[in-house]
Amino acid sequence: MKQEIKLGYDMASFIWRGLLAGVDNENGRKVQFNDKTVTVNSGEYGYDNVINMMLEVMETYKATPIDCILVFEGVSSKSKRLLISSDYKASRESRAPEAYESFEVCKQMLMKTFLELGACVVTQDYCEGDDTLAYLAKHSEVKFIVASYDGDLTALTTSCNEYRSEERR
């Protein structure tokens, strides 16, 4: 009998990883940002990459979409941490506005696909995705595996049964 599990995906890390992997020669575009030319891959390109990355995790754990919880950042997700430290993530590089547009296209495509396949989608306003994942892991009644490309989620190892962090390449 298959052990019941839930896969909690840190979708922001998966989407950015999918969008920033390689160059979209078909629909990518060059834009000016901060006085330099940068390449912005399309949401569709990111979608294809993310699907493949998510399927790899699902295959590893013999999971299906119904075993998956896709966690997306809520509105004003950094606001609580900014109250504690005003320079929270201040040193993080910004991206071209077109990159955020591609992120949103990819996000909507993933939500639609996985909801149609029986997965759960979770967002919590004023809460970062890793906080939501920690809550879900702590309160899960089954084995809960967090899948992320974000290296700063290692604090979750105390909240969940297993943490899968993909190495940056």
Side-chain angles (χ1 to χ4, degrees):
M1 186 166 133
K2 178 183 159 190
Q3 178 185 6
E4 188 176 357
I5 64 163
K6 288 295 178 187
L7 294 177
Y9 285 95
D10 172 22
M11 292 309 297
S13 75
F14 271 77
I15 294 172
W16 282 121
R17 176 80 174 218
L19 284 170
L20 299 175
V23 177
D24 179 359
N25 292 317
E26 189 176 333
N27 296 307
R29 57 189 187 226
K30 303 264 189 218
V31 299
Q32 291 297 312
F33 180 68
N34 287 345
D35 299 322
K36 59 185 175 182
T37 302
V38 296
T39 300
V40 174
N41 291 327
S42 68
E44 294 80 2
Y45 176 87
Y47 173 84
D48 288 342
N49 288 334
V50 174
I51 289 287
N52 288 329
M53 293 184 298
M54 292 177 72
L55 287 175
E56 180 184 342
V57 175
M58 288 169 43
E59 288 170 5
T60 298
Y61 294 101
K62 297 175 179 37
T64 62
I66 204 162
D67 302 316
C68 299
I69 302 172
L70 284 61
V71 176
F72 293 94
E73 305 283 321
V75 174
S76 300
S77 61
K78 294 190 300 185
S79 62
K80 285 184 182 178
R81 292 193 182 167
L82 285 170
L83 290 173
I84 298 167
S85 174
S86 60
D87 61 345
Y88 176 68
K89 293 188 178 179
S91 62
R92 185 175 275 184
E93 268 189 50
S94 60
R95 296 185 170 102
E98 293 87 351
Y100 292 102
E101 292 168 11
S102 291
F103 181 97
E104 190 61 30
V105 167
C106 183
K107 174 183 169 182
Q108 294 304 319
M109 291 173 70
L110 289 162
M111 289 173 86
K112 180 180 185 312
T113 298
F114 276 86
L115 283 171
E116 289 174 351
L117 294 172
C120 291
V121 171
V122 176
T123 62
Q124 178 63 48
D125 291 346
Y126 309 106
C127 189
E128 289 198 342
D130 58 343
D131 297 323
T132 303
L133 284 164
Y135 178 87
L136 293 170
K138 183 176 181 179
H139 297 284
S140 178
E141 295 179 3
V142 299
K143 183 174 183 175
F144 193 92
I145 299 162
V146 174
S148 178
Y149 284 95
D150 189 342
D152 73 354
L153 294 181
T154 53
L156 285 175
T157 56
T158 59
S159 299
C160 60
N161 307 90
E162 190 166 335
Y163 170 71
R164 176 189 171 103
S165 178
E166 302 298 328
E167 288 187 26
R168 296 177 185 259
R169 296 177 194 155

